[in-house]
Amino acid sequence: MKRKVVALLMAALMGTLCLSGCGNGNSDTGSAATESSAAEATGSEEAENADQKAADEVAALIDAIYVQERTDETDQQCADAKAAWDALSDEQKELVEGEEADPDYFGRDTGDASKDDPRNQDEIGENEILVVSFGTSFNNSRVADIKGIEDAIQAAYPDWSVRRAFTAQIIINHVQAREDEHIDNMDQAMERAVANGVKNLVVQPTHLMHGAEYDELMETVNAYADKFESVKVAEPLLGEVGSDAAVVNEDKQAVAQILTAETVKTAGYDSLDAAKEDGVAFVFMGHGTSHTAKISYSQMQSQMNDLGYDNVFIGTVEGEPEETSCEAVIDAIAQAGYKKVVLRPLMVVAGDHANNDMAGSDDDSWLSLFTASGNFDSVDTQIYGLGEIPGIQDIYVAHTGAVINQ
């Protein structure tokens, strides 16, 4: 009996010992696994931190060239930013986020830049036409719209050398860093003309109106005027601004007719009346401005009304003038009873504003806001700039000719 009790006690003791240490046959296994998991977590965190650091460095380099002032360091900064971007992995590129930087800065496909011509060649000759644009980093639009206008002017005036300048250094830097395409700013273009012995200079702005960009252009032209025998500046697309919303001119009428006809055709209708009968309203979205030239947008709406284009509306990204804001245009179209909407830019180029502010997928794009309003059965977009329309090119050609033949 005593042996049986002792055996039971020994069995119980051995069971207790196993519960405390025998578990899986190795008391160190649990702690080893824990240490391994901790090491993996630490390594993963360090890798993530390294990825973010690399992305942040590229974002800082992009922000450094997202500026309107060119310096002696700009060329190197553009090269450094692109080299640093190219060194990132695909995963790191997605992490790039700065004040202005994002993965689209270098990563977005905007077309083939090799089809463009920066028109910065020397040996210009004595007669130069300098075509000045705000600019765009969207390659396809730069070729179709800006180069389209330049080519038309060159074809019309073969005895003159057409050259290019952009007024937006931010865009110049973007194109240079991403594509290694070097476009002159206004000062560089004027210096190039002087260095090449140009005597007669004609400046043709592709700007829509006599706005802030036009004023800055004139400041630069006036600073160099005494270096040429003659300097003449042609009208922008919409001509003189005028005193109030009711003042229109031949340029505004021509633009209204040409743009509307092209838009109606692209939408698949035989006429504006046919589109109207189908309940379609067309919206032409400009940039907008706080400059006094903003009256030009109101004048364009007046011109549409005068032409009987009841289903054509003018809007602006900036909402200046107020009646051109997205909300105001949505209300006006809804009250008029149109159930289908076609959006198209009232801009020389179909660049960032057309692709993002108008037709983008973000909640605040015009496409999204019109759709979210619930007032319309369909909302479509046409992403084309004014500059690629032959009739619009002809207006610029005529403006250039007007000053050449003065």
Side-chain angles (χ1 to χ4, degrees):
M1 182 69 179
K2 288 182 180 179
R3 285 197 296 270
K4 186 174 182 181
V5 172
V6 171
L8 290 172
L9 288 173
M10 289 296 292
L13 179 59
M14 291 300 294
T16 301
L17 290 174
C18 276
L19 286 173
S20 64
C22 297
N24 295 319
N26 186 350
S27 62
D28 294 332
T29 300
S31 59
T34 301
E35 291 176 2
S36 177
S37 297
E40 289 177 2
T42 300
S44 177
E45 182 177 354
E46 289 177 351
E48 290 178 2
N49 290 339
D51 286 344
Q52 190 62 62
K53 180 181 179 182
D56 290 344
E57 289 174 353
V58 172
L61 291 171
I62 292 174
D63 285 341
I65 57 176
Y66 204 97
V67 293
Q68 188 56 20
E69 182 182 0
R70 177 178 171 81
T71 70
D72 293 339
E73 288 76 41
T74 297
D75 289 339
Q76 188 61 53
Q77 288 176 317
C78 288
D80 290 345
K82 182 58 161 61
W85 167 265
D86 288 342
L88 295 180
S89 67
D90 290 342
E91 291 77 13
Q92 290 171 332
K93 288 175 179 177
E94 292 300 319
L95 299 174
V96 172
E97 194 69 39
E99 185 174 345
E100 303 291 347
D102 59 38
D104 281 347
Y105 188 87
F106 283 119
R108 184 168 188 168
D109 181 7
T110 65
D112 187 356
S114 69
K115 296 180 180 179
D116 193 27
D117 181 357
R119 295 187 188 272
N120 58 6
Q121 303 91 339
D122 291 318
E123 300 180 7
I124 291 172
E126 294 184 353
N127 301 317
E128 177 187 341
I129 301 171
L130 180 62
V131 181
V132 182
S133 305
F134 178 81
T136 180
S137 62
F138 281 69
N139 296 332
N140 282 346
S141 182
R142 194 167 63 258
V143 172
D145 297 314
I146 295 176
K147 184 175 181 293
I149 295 169
E150 295 166 346
D151 288 348
I153 293 174
Q154 183 64 84
Y157 308 106
D159 295 334
W160 291 69
S161 295
V162 172
R163 293 296 179 264
R164 170 191 292 180
F166 283 1
T167 55
Q169 188 67 47
I170 289 172
I171 290 174
I172 293 172
N173 291 352
H174 193 170
V175 175
Q176 180 175 330
R178 190 185 63 200
E179 311 294 351
D180 196 27
E181 178 180 341
H182 297 247
I183 298 170
D184 286 346
N185 61 27
M186 273 298 292
D187 283 310
Q188 288 174 308
M190 298 299 281
E191 290 288 351
R192 187 182 300 279
V194 172
N196 280 270
V198 171
K199 294 181 178 179
N200 304 303
L201 178 66
V202 169
V203 179
Q204 175 61 69
T206 67
H207 303 109
L208 215 62
M209 62 190 69
H210 288 264
E213 292 291 329
Y214 181 89
D215 290 346
E216 292 177 10
L217 174 155
M218 288 304 302
E219 288 180 9
T220 306
V221 170
N222 290 333
Y224 285 88
D226 61 355
K227 299 183 182 297
F228 306 96
E229 292 183 8
S230 70
V231 178
K232 300 175 182 179
V233 182
E235 286 290 333
L237 183 60
L238 299 180
E240 291 291 342
V241 174
S243 57
D244 58 57
V247 177
V248 294
N249 56 32
E250 292 182 357
D251 290 326
K252 293 182 179 69
Q253 179 178 338
V255 171
Q257 292 172 324
I258 293 167
L259 175 58
T260 301
E262 185 72 17
T263 305
V264 168
K265 177 182 176 182
T266 303
Y269 293 95
D270 293 332
S271 67
L272 183 61
D273 286 340
K276 182 177 179 179
E277 290 176 7
D278 195 31
V280 178
F282 296 99
V283 179
F284 299 134
M285 187 197 78
H287 185 276
T289 178
S290 58
H291 192 279
T292 54
K294 67 183 179 181
I295 196 69
S296 299
Y297 293 108
S298 302
Q299 291 166 345
M300 283 300 293
Q301 185 64 70
S302 296
Q303 182 64 79
M304 297 297 181
N305 298 340
D306 291 348
L307 289 168
Y309 295 175
D310 300 332
N311 56 331
V312 176
F313 299 82
I314 304 298
T316 65
V317 177
E318 299 294 333
E320 294 188 83
E322 291 182 3
E323 69 270 17
T324 63
S325 71
C326 186
E327 294 78 8
V329 175
I330 289 174
D331 289 343
I333 296 174
Q335 290 177 18
Y338 297 106
K339 302 302 291 183
K340 300 176 183 179
V341 176
V342 175
L343 304 171
R344 181 165 176 147
L346 180 60
M347 301 177 181
V348 175
V349 300
D352 182 67
H353 291 302
N355 285 273
N356 296 325
D357 295 318
M358 187 188 79
S361 59
D362 289 346
D363 292 341
D364 59 352
S365 76
W366 282 46
L367 174 60
S368 296
L369 291 171
F370 269 79
T371 302
S373 72
N375 293 319
F376 312 108
D377 296 335
S378 66
V379 183
D380 297 317
T381 61
Q382 296 180 7
I383 309 178
Y384 304 100
L386 292 168
E388 69 176 88
I389 304 174
I392 298 295
Q393 295 172 3
D394 290 342
I395 295 175
Y396 285 114
V397 168
H399 286 179
T400 302
V403 295
I404 287 178
N405 298 319
Q406 280 180 345

